[in-house]
Amino acid sequence: MVAARTASAALHLSFTPSSGERMDPRAFGDPLWLGAWTTLRLTGAALLLGFILGALACWMQLSGHRTLAVLSRGCVAAVRGVPDLLLILLVYFGGMQLLNWLLGRPVEVPPFAAATVALALPFGAAVSEVFRDALESIDGAQREAAAMLGMRPAIAFLRVVVPQALLPCGRQAIVLLKQTSLASVIGCGELMRQAADAAHVSGKPFTMYLAAASIYLLLMVLATLALEAVQRVNARHLEG
């Protein structure tokens, strides 16, 4: 709790004018774009970790080991059953308590790191389901063709499974981009947090949140265009 209040105070202090007067909303352009950059970094970090966790969970479910499969399905169900906002709080404060207990001294968990883990968990759970469905949809002929071409399992996974899972994973990634706004509750300096601080200091909440919404919309459009471009390349790859 102390760490959260400290992070919040530090962010508010960085925006507080020395004269005690409200600042011109135009002065918050740089902090908002800095928050947008942090949002992109947070999305990328959560995507990377989420893909790793999702692939691991999928392997555990399809490994043939009952214990691993039950454990993986239980973890996926638990993660998907908890609201993302609550999951962020649990990871942040739970991680802090765990480190305090392990190290025997107060330790502050970086909000960015906690948000990355917390956002990667539900994304990884969704990715594991996508990968599992893609693997189960592969028929025997495809498996035999991959084997006849001398593809190792890892190469076959990249060339057969990943293209089929690309579109649903891309959609989940776009959702994740919006979900990064939840990290503002633990003091992570992403776009939503910067907008909230700017709204508090400037006294222009509608203006600040409208500016943040515009930036989110821009990021979503760019992400959608990128996904469509990758999808076109993937379609040409499958046709070839």
Side-chain angles (χ1 to χ4, degrees), residues 20 33 43 59 65 73 78 82 107 113 136 138 154 165 178 188 190 235:
W33 285 112
T43 302
W59 173 80
H65 296 280
R73 292 194 179 97
V82 176
V107 177
E136 292 179 344
I138 299 175
K178 293 190 293 184
C188 186
E190 42 67 59

Side-chain angles (χ1 to χ4, degrees), residues 155-200:
I155 301 299
F157 178 82
L158 290 175
R159 294 188 177 181
V160 179
V161 177
V162 171
Q164 297 183 41
L166 184 60
L167 181 58
C169 285
R171 290 171 178 167
Q172 289 292 332
I174 292 177
V175 173
L176 175 62
L177 177 61
K178 293 190 293 184
Q179 289 177 325
T180 57
S181 62
L182 299 175
S184 61
V185 298
I186 58 173
C188 186
E190 42 67 59
L191 179 56
M192 186 63 189
R193 182 68 190 193
Q194 298 284 12
D197 288 334
H200 172 78

